Amino acid sequence: MERFYDLFFTYPGFTCAELGKQANDFSKINNEPITFTQANFWIFFLLVYGIFTLVHKKQNLRTWFLLAVSCFFYFKTSGLFLILLVFSTLLDYNIGNAIFKSNRQGKRKFLLFLSMFGNLFVLGYFKYAFFFTDSFNQLFHTNYEFFNHFSYWTNSFWGSEVLCVDRLILPVGISFYTFQTMSYTIDIYRKELQPVRNIIDFGFFVSFFPQLVAGPIVRAKDFIPQMYQPFSLTKNDFGWSLWQILRGLVKKIVIADYLGANFVDHAFQNPDNFPGFVLVVAMWAYSMQIYGDFSGYTDIAIGVSRLLGFQLNTNFNSPYKAINVADFWKRWHISLSSFLKDYLYIPLGGNKTASWVSWLFLPFIIAFIAGLIEYYFDVAFTVAGIEFSFGFWTLSFILMVLVLLLMLIDSVRKFVTTDINLLITMLLGGLWHGNNLKFIIWGGLNGLGLVIYKYWKRISPYEKSNFFLVHFWKIFFTFNFITFTRVFFRASDMENANLYMNRIWNNFGLFTDEGFNNSAWNLMMTTYSIVFLLMIAAYLIHWMPSAGKEKIMNGFIRLPSYAQVVVIVLSSILIYQAVSADFQAFIYFAF
């Protein structure tokens, strides 16, 4: 009864834990949000699905019902940040209609600009305002204090101090639904989509709860036409949906949560306590953890959506089978990669030319490189007894002059004009993931990897080789490059990332002057033996031929209903036994 009360009648407030503040009487803190790995979600979904079976044949009633459910779901997840979801919905619905009705190109561009500005301003404020304030203070040696106006206005409205005014709480899913509403206005502007019939339909598209808080990013032109189709769910569709949900729960709870709680978290929290070899294994484990976590979420979201009559696009396609960096980004977080390609990379000029926006970003890229040089190297030398030291601004100026001079060379200018868009896209992709330098470095490294591969494949004698050892090497090298870049993604901050990498470099630990170091291997095989075996098993399953996985899935789908129930019960027991004592939130809730 208490769980039922918490599920439907408590408000998910956000308090300043550092100050020990508590919410006032109008709210209670919900310590169990509605997420796919919590029992309260499945209680919620069974109740929703029971009512859905009564209304699914009536299209308008179905839309109204699922919209109400989705708003309730987001309120239970993010509380008063539901206001932001409503703002994005109203903004882009009205602008989309205005763009569609206008025949004047200048007005259409202005309306599109308003949509982009409004969405990106809200997204930028909640994701990056604190980051930019802190960066500004560091660059210009100022001491401006961040003030959260949204929290201040909210507290004033409620007459309480529920939200902190000196820090930001990131609204769950804001990056995902902002991109979705932007895709709507952009597609209407491009005349690839007609507006929805009414605000209710658009609100449902924006807030559809299975994918609302962590994707996949759903494009308007893919989802909206399905809203006007009659509900359809065959027995095979039902079995396929159950398989997706079970697979997602196993990936998340049995694999990702176990690897994270019992190994990866320990390694990154205290890297000095581990030999470098064990830290390398922890990096491999993290690659499997984040894949199991994120792809597990999207598997469940896709399965639940199909039960409700909607098909979401595939978001992962065995990414660790990738044979190069470009191939990896066609397989990983496909909805984001394709969104960035279609709505950022190609409008910037793609691989053909650089737009004025590209050139506008060039000084920021140079400043970023200068900042990294200053961060990692002491750029100073002595001439005739005089010491010369280069700070951030001096390095930025020198690099800018150097780039401008090099661009006088045709081949260099061609390189800049064709590849700057790729670097910008990946740097912004990194920034999309978080308001921290480490995410920008992660994005920059992947961008650099894509540029290098672009030129390497032109001269590589093995590019078109199908020899199994060459194929194995391509997969091995790509996987380890991606895994290396994720040290910056996973680390708590730059200091933690540097400590982690230095420990690997200076104390690998598997070999010594006397030969093989048994202690490092024994630590892995004793203390973390179960983790190691689970990780190996997960990768072997991941690298199975797709045809084999399809055969297993189709076998489950063809089972009679009672046999499917047996599989579900046994899987549920396995999942329950693997549940961590501490709640493990989905990693992409933070983005």
Side-chain angles (χ1 to χ4, degrees):
M1 193 66 185
E2 181 180 351
R3 179 181 290 274
F4 182 83
Y5 178 85
D6 287 341
L7 175 59
F8 288 99
F9 299 107
T10 60
Y11 165 81
F14 301 91
T15 62
C16 300
E18 294 84 350
L19 303 178
K21 295 183 179 179
Q22 300 296 326
N24 285 344
D25 293 339
F26 79 97
S27 66
K28 291 185 178 180
I29 302 307
N30 184 4
N31 292 320
E32 292 191 54
I34 304 180
T35 65
F36 293 155
T37 57
Q38 299 291 293
N40 56 12
F41 172 81
W42 298 106
I43 296 172
F44 166 78
F45 182 69
L46 286 175
L47 292 172
V48 167
Y49 206 68
I51 300 174
F52 178 79
T53 59
L54 303 176
V55 303
H56 69 278
K57 292 183 180 180
K58 300 178 180 179
Q59 182 182 302
N60 291 336
L61 189 57
R62 177 188 68 175
T63 300
W64 272 92
F65 173 68
L66 290 179
L67 172 60
V69 167
S70 298
C71 289
F72 171 79
F73 177 84
Y74 192 72
F75 178 76
K76 291 294 296 182
T77 305
S78 295
L80 294 176
F81 289 122
L82 177 64
I83 297 170
L84 301 179
L85 182 65
V86 173
F87 168 79
S88 294
T89 301
L90 293 174
L91 175 72
D92 286 301
Y93 172 74
N94 287 291
I95 290 181
N97 283 344
I99 291 175
F100 181 76
K101 294 176 182 177
S102 176
N103 294 320
R104 294 165 50 196
Q105 187 63 14
K107 182 179 178 181
R108 288 167 56 86
K109 287 184 177 181
F110 177 72
L111 290 169
L112 181 64
F113 168 78
L114 285 182
S115 172
M116 299 299 100
F117 178 81
N119 283 291
L120 294 178
F121 178 81
V122 173
L123 178 65
Y125 178 78
F126 281 94
K127 288 197 76 166
Y128 309 113
F130 186 87
F131 170 68
F132 288 139
T133 302
D134 184 59
S135 299
F136 186 90
N137 287 336
Q138 292 185 28
L139 283 176
F140 297 100
H141 306 289
T142 55
N143 192 33
Y144 291 105
E145 293 185 2
F146 174 78
F147 185 82
N148 190 336
H149 294 278
F150 179 84
S151 296
Y152 175 77
W153 294 331
T154 303
N155 293 341
S156 299
F157 178 80
W158 288 104
S160 65
E161 293 186 8
V162 176
L163 301 180
C164 303
V165 297
D166 60 345
R167 61 185 64 87
L168 278 173
I169 297 174
L170 180 66
V172 175
I174 188 171
S175 299
F176 293 95
Y177 68 71
T178 298
F179 276 15
Q180 287 185 198
T181 61
M182 288 169 59
S183 77
Y184 175 77
T185 52
I186 294 173
D187 288 346
I188 291 178
Y189 174 81
R190 293 176 173 177
K191 299 183 179 180
E192 297 176 356
L193 180 73
Q194 291 189 351
V196 294
R197 297 172 183 173
N198 52 62
I199 186 67
I200 301 301
D201 289 348
F202 185 67
F204 171 53
F205 156 67
V206 175
S207 64
F208 186 49
F209 73 91
Q211 52 75 227
L212 174 60
V213 296
I217 298 170
V218 176
R219 296 196 194 184
K221 62 184 178 183
D222 294 329
F223 188 85
I224 288 176
Q226 298 184 56
M227 294 166 50
Y228 303 118
Q229 299 297 321
F231 173 82
S232 175
L233 185 70
T234 65
K235 182 181 182 300
N236 281 352
D237 290 337
F238 187 80
W240 181 88
S241 301
L242 292 180
W243 177 261
Q244 295 297 317
I245 293 169
L246 280 179
R247 184 173 70 168
L249 288 172
V250 170
K251 283 181 180 180
K252 165 61 178 170
I253 298 174
V254 179
I255 299 175
D257 286 357
Y258 192 89
L259 292 177
N262 294 284
F263 184 35
V264 176
D265 291 349
H266 300 169
F268 275 90
Q269 286 169 4
N270 300 289
D272 277 339
N273 294 343
F274 297 88
F277 165 71
V278 177
L279 295 181
V280 170
V281 177
M283 290 166 55
W284 295 337
Y286 179 66
S287 275
M288 178 51 66
Q289 179 197 356
I290 193 171
Y291 169 72
D293 189 283
F294 193 19
S295 71
Y297 180 95
T298 54
D299 285 345
I300 300 169
I302 289 170
V304 170
S305 298
R306 190 67 194 91
L307 290 176
L308 295 171
F310 298 92
Q311 295 185 12
L312 305 185
N313 293 332
T314 301
N315 206 30
F316 291 89
N317 180 22
S318 300
Y320 300 139
K321 292 181 180 179
I323 57 176
N324 54 64
V325 182
D327 186 28
F328 174 83
W329 283 107
K330 293 176 182 177
R331 296 168 174 265
W332 178 272
H333 202 348
I334 299 170
S335 63
L336 176 63
S337 299
S338 60
F339 184 96
L340 292 176
K341 175 185 175 183
D342 293 342
Y343 296 112
L344 178 60
Y345 177 67
I346 292 177
L348 284 174
N351 61 359
K352 297 180 179 179
T353 186
S355 67
W356 66 269
V357 179
S358 305
W359 296 117
L360 186 65
F361 270 100
L362 182 59
F364 293 99
I365 294 176
I366 292 173
F368 170 68
I369 296 172
L372 286 182
I373 294 174
E374 183 189 32
Y375 186 86
Y376 282 106
F377 305 100
D378 182 18
V379 185
F381 58 90
T382 302
V383 177
I386 302 174
E387 182 175 343
F388 295 89
S389 180
F390 296 97
F392 169 78
W393 293 109
T394 305
L395 283 171
S396 298
F397 176 76
I398 293 174
L399 288 175
M400 177 62 78
V401 172
L402 182 62
V403 168
L404 293 176
L405 289 175
L406 289 174
M407 285 182 63
L408 296 175
I409 304 173
D410 289 340
S411 58
V412 175
R413 185 168 61 254
K414 184 178 179 181
F415 163 77
V416 173
T417 54
T418 56
D419 295 330
I420 187 175
N421 297 326
L422 187 56
L423 289 172
I424 290 171
T425 301
M426 294 309 296
L427 285 170
L428 291 179
L431 189 62
W432 178 88
H433 282 83
N435 56 355
N436 195 297
L437 177 63
K438 65 192 185 78
F439 288 112
I440 303 176
I441 293 176
W442 169 77
L445 288 172
N446 278 274
L448 186 62
L450 287 168
V451 171
I452 292 174
Y453 170 70
K454 177 182 176 181
Y455 291 96
W456 165 249
K457 69 180 181 181
R458 298 178 182 177
I459 60 173
S460 171
Y462 308 107
E463 181 63 23
K464 297 182 180 180
S465 173
N466 292 319
F467 184 52
F468 78 96
L469 286 178
V470 174
H471 191 74
F472 169 81
W473 168 251
K474 289 178 180 178
I475 293 175
F476 179 79
F477 182 83
T478 302
F479 169 73
N480 280 281
F481 171 76
I482 294 297
T483 297
F484 161 75
T485 66
R486 284 186 174 145
V487 172
F488 296 95
F489 194 95
R490 171 57 182 82
S492 57
D493 50 37
M494 285 298 299
E495 182 179 356
N496 182 229
N498 294 332
L499 180 64
Y500 198 97
M501 295 304 298
N502 288 335
R503 183 67 177 173
I504 293 175
W505 182 261
N506 296 319
N507 188 358
F508 186 73
L510 192 57
F511 295 96
T512 66
D513 293 338
E514 291 77 24
F516 188 76
N517 183 359
N518 289 320
S519 60
W521 178 254
N522 290 338
L523 174 65
M524 195 69 247
M525 292 296 99
T526 54
T527 305
Y528 297 108
S529 57
I530 297 178
V531 168
F532 186 73
L533 292 174
L534 177 63
M535 182 186 73
I536 295 298
Y539 276 117
L540 289 176
I541 294 172
H542 182 81
W543 285 320
M544 278 180 59
S546 298
K549 296 179 184 179
E550 289 284 333
K551 188 175 181 179
I552 295 172
M553 180 184 70
N554 290 331
F556 173 84
I557 293 173
R558 288 193 296 266
L559 288 175
S561 299
Y562 72 86
Q564 290 181 342
V565 171
V566 172
V567 173
I568 291 171
V569 170
L570 293 176
S571 300
S572 299
I573 294 172
L574 171 65
I575 292 168
Y576 177 78
Q577 293 297 321
V579 170
S580 172
D582 298 324
F583 171 69
Q584 301 286 316
F586 284 95
I587 294 173
Y588 265 68
F589 278 9
F591 306 131

